[in-house]
Structure formats: structure tokens, C-alpha cells
Amino acid sequence: MNIILASASKRRQKLLSWLIKDFEIKPSQINETAFAKLARNPEELVVKLSLAKAKAGGEKVPNSIIIAADTIVAIADTSQVLPSATVINETWQIIGKPKDKAEIAQTLSFLSGKTHQVYTGLCVLQSTSSHFGTDFELSHMTFKNLSKKFIDKWSAQEFLLDHAGSYSIQDMKDELFDTIEGSYTSVVGLPLAKTADFLEQFGVVLQSAWQDKVLQETGYKD
């Protein structure tokens, strides 16, 4: 049985390689904006998005297991709505990818000293039977009070234009966070413990001691 990751994310590909050796990459394309307009809360949004991605990735691919995920950065503070954000239910703003370096600086300044949430939705689907499982992981992230020097340094980094929330936990964590409560791998983009549970339910054999690999590579237990 083929295993397919329905994502072009290099970060998710690396995480999944700690669980299983062989899988294919078949990114799926969906209209994420339409889902955001219909969602009542962040967890509903990420679950619906991951399911839609899995179904799209499983089209015309028989006898395969499709893995899809969606990660969002959210904060229940709409006192200042960021240019990259979408407001849900008048309470949450979902902070997307910045369009330019100025938006990176604006987002980091807004999140400085605050606690925000990272939600990652997960779906694992068997394409032939259409049987699937969905779940989500919630992590709470508290930023340090960021200096102008720090913000100027990181807002110049073009790779952050590809990161929702204008930050990269794996590159910036020692300078950026006071506390991380939840799953580290989920914040990176794929909650490995929950992914492992679903894959085992579908009869997939995982790499041995993958938890040790996570701890070795990240410094965190999943």
C-alpha cells in the first residue's frame, strides 16, 4: 500500500521521514479562504482543511493512505487586525504568511510578550475505502518581549515569508519563546504522536524508536 503526504512542505516531509521510510509527495490544492469564511473556530477550520486536503490528495490514487495536515497561528485578540490575518467569529484572528518584510516586523511586534495558539489539523485517509480519521493538536506559545534589534534582524530574513505567523520555531526558538506548551512537531507542521496512532490503526509499520529521533533532533518529546 502506498503512503502519500498531501503536502509540499519540506518541514512536514522531514517530520514524516522520522516515522516511515517510504512515502510519496502529492501536494493537494484547495481553496483555503472559502473554508476560513465558514469556520466557527480555529479547531474546526484546521480539521476541515486537513480533511479536504486528504480527499483532494486521494483522488484517482487507489489503495493508498493519504496524510494531510494544516497548521494555523491564531490569537484571540482583534484589537489590531494584521494585514495577513483573517478574523473568525469576531474573536480570533488567523495570522497567515506575511507579504513582505514590513509585515514580518509588524507581526512580530504584535505577538511580542503575548501568548498565542498554534492549531494543526490532521487527517489520515484510506483512499479505496474512504475510511479516515481526523484530529487536531493545540499548542500555546508565549513570546518573549522582543527587542527592536531582534525584530529588525528577523524581519530581514526572506525565508520567513513562507511561514504563517512570521516565525520559524526550529530556527528562532531560543531567542523567541518563553514557553511552549503542547506538541513541538505540531507547531512545525505535523503532530507526530497523533500521526503515528492513525498510521498504526491502518496497519502501517513505523520506524523503531522514532520518539528518540524526535527528542534527538528537536530537544523536545512530542
Side-chain angles (χ1 to χ4, degrees):
M1 181 176 292
N2 294 328
I3 299 177
I4 294 171
L5 177 63
S7 173
S9 167
K10 298 295 184 183
R11 299 181 292 277
R12 290 194 179 109
Q13 293 169 28
K14 182 177 180 179
L15 291 172
L16 186 58
S17 72
W18 298 346
L19 285 184
I20 54 177
K21 290 183 178 180
D22 299 316
F23 57 92
E24 299 178 41
I25 307 298
K26 292 185 182 294
S28 57
Q29 301 295 326
I30 61 172
N31 184 351
E32 297 189 20
T33 302
F35 283 86
K37 291 179 179 179
L38 297 174
R40 293 168 293 184
N41 49 57
E43 55 265 39
E44 180 180 37
L45 175 60
V46 292
V47 168
K48 287 186 174 182
L49 283 169
S50 60
L51 176 58
K53 288 180 179 181
K55 288 183 175 179
E59 290 179 351
K60 301 178 182 179
V61 188
N63 198 33
S64 296
I65 291 175
I66 316 298
I67 301 167
D70 189 83
T71 302
I72 61 172
V73 174
I75 188 168
D77 179 352
T78 56
S79 60
Q80 173 192 348
V81 178
L82 296 168
S84 62
T86 301
V87 175
I88 291 182
N89 201 22
E90 300 182 354
T91 301
W92 292 91
Q93 59 173 307
I94 308 303
I95 305 173
K97 297 178 182 179
K99 293 180 181 178
D100 53 36
K101 295 177 182 179
E103 285 193 12
I104 295 175
Q106 186 176 4
T107 302
L108 292 176
S109 296
F110 177 72
L111 294 176
S112 176
K114 297 177 181 176
T115 298
H116 67 272
Q117 286 66 47
V118 177
Y119 292 82
T120 295
L122 172 68
C123 181
V124 179
L125 177 146
Q126 210 288 331
S127 63
T128 300
S129 66
S130 295
H131 178 65
F132 64 87
T134 58
D135 205 344
F136 74 94
E137 191 80 55
L138 168 60
S139 300
H140 301 275
M141 324 294 291
T142 301
F143 273 18
K144 296 178 179 179
N145 290 312
L146 306 178
S147 67
K148 183 179 184 300
K149 181 178 179 180
F150 175 92
I151 292 172
D152 288 345
K153 169 188 171 182
W154 285 103
S155 61
Q157 305 302 313
E158 290 190 359
F159 77 93
L160 291 179
L161 296 173
D162 190 44
H163 289 261
S166 297
Y167 67 87
S168 165
I169 185 174
Q170 58 269 46
D171 296 298
M172 304 165 67
K173 63 182 180 182
D174 293 335
E175 300 177 85
L176 189 63
F177 294 100
D178 269 337
T179 60
I180 302 171
E181 298 178 21
S183 166
Y184 180 92
T185 58
S186 176
V187 177
V188 177
L190 186 68
L192 286 190
K194 290 187 174 180
T195 304
D197 287 344
F198 279 133
L199 290 175
E200 288 183 325
Q201 291 174 30
F202 283 102
V204 176
V205 177
L206 306 179
Q207 298 204 70
S208 61
W210 65 265
Q211 297 96 331
D212 294 339
K213 180 70 171 179
V214 173
L215 182 59
Q216 175 187 343
E217 292 285 341
T218 69
Y220 289 84
K221 294 181 180 179
D222 190 57

mmCIF file of all heavy atoms in Angstrom, residues 30-58:
data_model
loop_
_atom_site.group_PDB
_atom_site.id
_atom_site.type_symbol
_atom_site.label_atom_id
_atom_site.label_comp_id
_atom_site.label_asym_id
_atom_site.label_seq_id
_atom_site.Cartn_x
_atom_site.Cartn_y
_atom_site.Cartn_z
ATOM 1 N N ILE A 30 -6.497 23.287 -2.503
ATOM 2 C CA ILE A 30 -7.879 23.588 -2.163
ATOM 3 C C ILE A 30 -7.997 25.091 -1.923
ATOM 4 O O ILE A 30 -6.999 25.782 -1.747
ATOM 5 C CB ILE A 30 -8.348 22.817 -0.910
ATOM 6 C CG1 ILE A 30 -7.502 23.216 0.306
ATOM 7 C CG2 ILE A 30 -8.298 21.315 -1.138
ATOM 8 C CD1 ILE A 30 -8.018 22.666 1.605
ATOM 9 N N ASN A 31 -9.229 25.570 -1.910
ATOM 10 C CA ASN A 31 -9.492 26.992 -1.665
ATOM 11 C C ASN A 31 -9.594 27.215 -0.155
ATOM 12 O O ASN A 31 -10.672 27.094 0.429
ATOM 13 C CB ASN A 31 -10.776 27.420 -2.367
ATOM 14 C CG ASN A 31 -11.036 28.917 -2.225
ATOM 15 O OD1 ASN A 31 -10.369 29.614 -1.472
ATOM 16 N ND2 ASN A 31 -12.018 29.411 -2.963
ATOM 17 N N GLU A 32 -8.483 27.532 0.479
ATOM 18 C CA GLU A 32 -8.459 27.669 1.929
ATOM 19 C C GLU A 32 -9.268 28.875 2.405
ATOM 20 O O GLU A 32 -9.839 28.856 3.499
ATOM 21 C CB GLU A 32 -7.018 27.756 2.425
ATOM 22 C CG GLU A 32 -6.212 26.496 2.132
ATOM 23 C CD GLU A 32 -4.863 26.493 2.816
ATOM 24 O OE1 GLU A 32 -4.697 27.256 3.790
ATOM 25 O OE2 GLU A 32 -3.989 25.720 2.395
ATOM 26 N N THR A 33 -9.322 29.925 1.615
ATOM 27 C CA THR A 33 -10.066 31.129 2.001
ATOM 28 C C THR A 33 -11.535 30.823 2.204
ATOM 29 O O THR A 33 -12.169 31.325 3.141
ATOM 30 C CB THR A 33 -9.897 32.225 0.943
ATOM 31 O OG1 THR A 33 -8.506 32.511 0.785
ATOM 32 C CG2 THR A 33 -10.625 33.490 1.359
ATOM 33 N N ALA A 34 -12.094 29.971 1.339
ATOM 34 C CA ALA A 34 -13.513 29.623 1.455
ATOM 35 C C ALA A 34 -13.798 28.919 2.775
ATOM 36 O O ALA A 34 -14.834 29.148 3.409
ATOM 37 C CB ALA A 34 -13.929 28.736 0.277
ATOM 38 N N PHE A 35 -12.883 28.052 3.214
ATOM 39 C CA PHE A 35 -13.075 27.348 4.473
ATOM 40 C C PHE A 35 -13.011 28.315 5.655
ATOM 41 O O PHE A 35 -13.765 28.192 6.618
ATOM 42 C CB PHE A 35 -12.024 26.256 4.637
ATOM 43 C CG PHE A 35 -12.290 25.028 3.819
ATOM 44 C CD1 PHE A 35 -11.869 24.945 2.507
ATOM 45 C CD2 PHE A 35 -12.972 23.947 4.356
ATOM 46 C CE1 PHE A 35 -12.101 23.818 1.743
ATOM 47 C CE2 PHE A 35 -13.223 22.812 3.608
ATOM 48 C CZ PHE A 35 -12.789 22.741 2.291
ATOM 49 N N ALA A 36 -12.090 29.265 5.593
ATOM 50 C CA ALA A 36 -11.939 30.216 6.694
ATOM 51 C C ALA A 36 -13.208 31.034 6.904
ATOM 52 O O ALA A 36 -13.569 31.366 8.036
ATOM 53 C CB ALA A 36 -10.754 31.136 6.429
ATOM 54 N N LYS A 37 -13.895 31.352 5.833
ATOM 55 C CA LYS A 37 -15.113 32.154 5.938
ATOM 56 C C LYS A 37 -16.244 31.382 6.605
ATOM 57 O O LYS A 37 -17.164 31.983 7.175
ATOM 58 C CB LYS A 37 -15.545 32.618 4.546
ATOM 59 C CG LYS A 37 -14.608 33.649 3.922
ATOM 60 C CD LYS A 37 -15.079 34.047 2.537
ATOM 61 C CE LYS A 37 -14.147 35.087 1.923
ATOM 62 N NZ LYS A 37 -14.575 35.482 0.555
ATOM 63 N N LEU A 38 -16.201 30.036 6.539
ATOM 64 C CA LEU A 38 -17.279 29.215 7.076
ATOM 65 C C LEU A 38 -16.992 28.671 8.464
ATOM 66 O O LEU A 38 -17.901 28.207 9.156
ATOM 67 C CB LEU A 38 -17.553 28.039 6.124
ATOM 68 C CG LEU A 38 -18.032 28.395 4.714
ATOM 69 C CD1 LEU A 38 -18.123 27.137 3.854
ATOM 70 C CD2 LEU A 38 -19.382 29.107 4.769
ATOM 71 N N ALA A 39 -15.738 28.726 8.909
ATOM 72 C CA ALA A 39 -15.365 28.117 10.182
ATOM 73 C C ALA A 39 -15.867 28.949 11.363
ATOM 74 O O ALA A 39 -15.881 30.181 11.317
ATOM 75 C CB ALA A 39 -13.856 27.960 10.266
ATOM 76 N N ARG A 40 -16.267 28.247 12.441
ATOM 77 C CA ARG A 40 -16.728 28.930 13.655
ATOM 78 C C ARG A 40 -15.609 29.137 14.668
ATOM 79 O O ARG A 40 -15.728 29.981 15.563
ATOM 80 C CB ARG A 40 -17.857 28.118 14.294
ATOM 81 C CG ARG A 40 -19.136 28.069 13.465
ATOM 82 C CD ARG A 40 -20.091 27.038 13.992
ATOM 83 N NE ARG A 40 -19.559 25.681 13.810
ATOM 84 C CZ ARG A 40 -20.238 24.574 14.117
ATOM 85 N NH1 ARG A 40 -21.443 24.664 14.633
ATOM 86 N NH2 ARG A 40 -19.697 23.387 13.909
ATOM 87 N N ASN A 41 -14.531 28.365 14.526
ATOM 88 C CA ASN A 41 -13.410 28.467 15.462
ATOM 89 C C ASN A 41 -12.176 27.855 14.800
ATOM 90 O O ASN A 41 -12.288 27.167 13.775
ATOM 91 C CB ASN A 41 -13.728 27.788 16.790
ATOM 92 C CG ASN A 41 -14.283 26.387 16.600
ATOM 93 O OD1 ASN A 41 -13.647 25.539 15.972
ATOM 94 N ND2 ASN A 41 -15.462 26.123 17.146
ATOM 95 N N PRO A 42 -10.988 28.072 15.362
ATOM 96 C CA PRO A 42 -9.767 27.569 14.723
ATOM 97 C C PRO A 42 -9.698 26.057 14.590
ATOM 98 O O PRO A 42 -9.227 25.542 13.573
ATOM 99 C CB PRO A 42 -8.660 28.096 15.637
ATOM 100 C CG PRO A 42 -9.229 29.310 16.278
ATOM 101 C CD PRO A 42 -10.669 28.983 16.493
ATOM 102 N N GLU A 43 -10.152 25.317 15.622
ATOM 103 C CA GLU A 43 -10.053 23.860 15.531
ATOM 104 C C GLU A 43 -10.939 23.288 14.433
ATOM 105 O O GLU A 43 -10.556 22.344 13.731
ATOM 106 C CB GLU A 43 -10.379 23.195 16.874
ATOM 107 C CG GLU A 43 -11.707 23.555 17.495
ATOM 108 C CD GLU A 43 -11.624 24.687 18.504
ATOM 109 O OE1 GLU A 43 -10.861 25.646 18.258
ATOM 110 O OE2 GLU A 43 -12.332 24.615 19.532
ATOM 111 N N GLU A 44 -12.124 23.879 14.255
ATOM 112 C CA GLU A 44 -12.989 23.436 13.163
ATOM 113 C C GLU A 44 -12.330 23.718 11.814
ATOM 114 O O GLU A 44 -12.383 22.886 10.896
ATOM 115 C CB GLU A 44 -14.342 24.146 13.236
ATOM 116 C CG GLU A 44 -15.300 23.723 12.123
ATOM 117 C CD GLU A 44 -16.635 24.438 12.212
ATOM 118 O OE1 GLU A 44 -16.661 25.637 12.582
ATOM 119 O OE2 GLU A 44 -17.649 23.804 11.899
ATOM 120 N N LEU A 45 -11.675 24.854 11.717
ATOM 121 C CA LEU A 45 -11.026 25.220 10.460
ATOM 122 C C LEU A 45 -9.928 24.233 10.084
ATOM 123 O O LEU A 45 -9.897 23.743 8.949
ATOM 124 C CB LEU A 45 -10.438 26.628 10.582
ATOM 125 C CG LEU A 45 -9.615 27.128 9.390
ATOM 126 C CD1 LEU A 45 -10.443 27.151 8.128
ATOM 127 C CD2 LEU A 45 -9.034 28.521 9.690
ATOM 128 N N VAL A 46 -9.022 23.917 11.019
ATOM 129 C CA VAL A 46 -7.895 23.051 10.653
ATOM 130 C C VAL A 46 -8.329 21.617 10.375
ATOM 131 O O VAL A 46 -7.745 20.939 9.522
ATOM 132 C CB VAL A 46 -6.774 23.084 11.713
ATOM 133 C CG1 VAL A 46 -6.114 24.441 11.747
ATOM 134 C CG2 VAL A 46 -7.262 22.670 13.093
ATOM 135 N N VAL A 47 -9.361 21.145 11.075
ATOM 136 C CA VAL A 47 -9.850 19.787 10.814
ATOM 137 C C VAL A 47 -10.488 19.715 9.423
ATOM 138 O O VAL A 47 -10.240 18.780 8.648
ATOM 139 C CB VAL A 47 -10.840 19.332 11.904
ATOM 140 C CG1 VAL A 47 -11.570 18.052 11.479
ATOM 141 C CG2 VAL A 47 -10.105 19.095 13.219
ATOM 142 N N LYS A 48 -11.310 20.708 9.093
ATOM 143 C CA LYS A 48 -11.951 20.708 7.771
ATOM 144 C C LYS A 48 -10.928 20.853 6.653
ATOM 145 O O LYS A 48 -11.043 20.211 5.603
ATOM 146 C CB LYS A 48 -12.990 21.829 7.695
ATOM 147 C CG LYS A 48 -14.253 21.538 8.495
ATOM 148 C CD LYS A 48 -15.306 22.611 8.266
ATOM 149 C CE LYS A 48 -16.619 22.230 8.949
ATOM 150 N NZ LYS A 48 -17.688 23.241 8.716
ATOM 151 N N LEU A 49 -9.922 21.693 6.873
ATOM 152 C CA LEU A 49 -8.896 21.876 5.850
ATOM 153 C C LEU A 49 -8.079 20.605 5.643
ATOM 154 O O LEU A 49 -7.787 20.220 4.506
ATOM 155 C CB LEU A 49 -7.980 23.034 6.229
ATOM 156 C CG LEU A 49 -8.526 24.444 6.012
ATOM 157 C CD1 LEU A 49 -7.620 25.482 6.673
ATOM 158 C CD2 LEU A 49 -8.665 24.750 4.523
ATOM 159 N N SER A 50 -7.690 19.941 6.720
ATOM 160 C CA SER A 50 -6.888 18.722 6.575
ATOM 161 C C SER A 50 -7.697 17.618 5.902
ATOM 162 O O SER A 50 -7.160 16.870 5.065
ATOM 163 C CB SER A 50 -6.351 18.259 7.929
ATOM 164 O OG SER A 50 -7.390 17.975 8.833
ATOM 165 N N LEU A 51 -8.977 17.500 6.229
ATOM 166 C CA LEU A 51 -9.823 16.504 5.569
ATOM 167 C C LEU A 51 -9.969 16.810 4.086
ATOM 168 O O LEU A 51 -9.864 15.908 3.232
ATOM 169 C CB LEU A 51 -11.197 16.461 6.239
ATOM 170 C CG LEU A 51 -12.241 15.540 5.596
ATOM 171 C CD1 LEU A 51 -11.750 14.097 5.535
ATOM 172 C CD2 LEU A 51 -13.571 15.621 6.366
ATOM 173 N N ALA A 52 -10.188 18.079 3.746
ATOM 174 C CA ALA A 52 -10.318 18.456 2.338
ATOM 175 C C ALA A 52 -9.033 18.181 1.575
ATOM 176 O O ALA A 52 -9.053 17.704 0.427
ATOM 177 C CB ALA A 52 -10.704 19.925 2.223
ATOM 178 N N LYS A 53 -7.887 18.462 2.202
ATOM 179 C CA LYS A 53 -6.610 18.189 1.557
ATOM 180 C C LYS A 53 -6.406 16.696 1.337
ATOM 181 O O LYS A 53 -5.901 16.267 0.289
ATOM 182 C CB LYS A 53 -5.465 18.752 2.401
ATOM 183 C CG LYS A 53 -5.353 20.255 2.398
ATOM 184 C CD LYS A 53 -4.181 20.709 3.271
ATOM 185 C CE LYS A 53 -4.014 22.210 3.279
ATOM 186 N NZ LYS A 53 -2.851 22.627 4.120
ATOM 187 N N ALA A 54 -6.776 15.887 2.326
ATOM 188 C CA ALA A 54 -6.618 14.436 2.193
ATOM 189 C C ALA A 54 -7.503 13.891 1.077
ATOM 190 O O ALA A 54 -7.066 13.058 0.268
ATOM 191 C CB ALA A 54 -6.936 13.749 3.515
ATOM 192 N N LYS A 55 -8.746 14.352 1.024
ATOM 193 C CA LYS A 55 -9.650 13.881 -0.026
ATOM 194 C C LYS A 55 -9.154 14.308 -1.404
ATOM 195 O O LYS A 55 -9.203 13.531 -2.360
ATOM 196 C CB LYS A 55 -11.065 14.404 0.230
ATOM 197 C CG LYS A 55 -11.760 13.729 1.406
ATOM 198 C CD LYS A 55 -13.185 14.239 1.577
ATOM 199 C CE LYS A 55 -13.919 13.472 2.662
ATOM 200 N NZ LYS A 55 -15.308 13.977 2.850
ATOM 201 N N ALA A 56 -8.670 15.547 -1.512
ATOM 202 C CA ALA A 56 -8.139 16.018 -2.788
ATOM 203 C C ALA A 56 -6.890 15.241 -3.171
ATOM 204 O O ALA A 56 -6.689 14.880 -4.342
ATOM 205 C CB ALA A 56 -7.828 17.511 -2.712
ATOM 206 N N GLY A 57 -6.039 14.941 -2.188
ATOM 207 C CA GLY A 57 -4.820 14.180 -2.466
ATOM 208 C C GLY A 57 -5.080 12.735 -2.808
ATOM 209 O O GLY A 57 -4.254 12.083 -3.460
ATOM 210 N N GLY A 58 -6.229 12.207 -2.365
ATOM 211 C CA GLY A 58 -6.546 10.806 -2.615
ATOM 212 C C GLY A 58 -7.328 10.550 -3.883
ATOM 213 O O GLY A 58 -7.597 9.386 -4.224
#
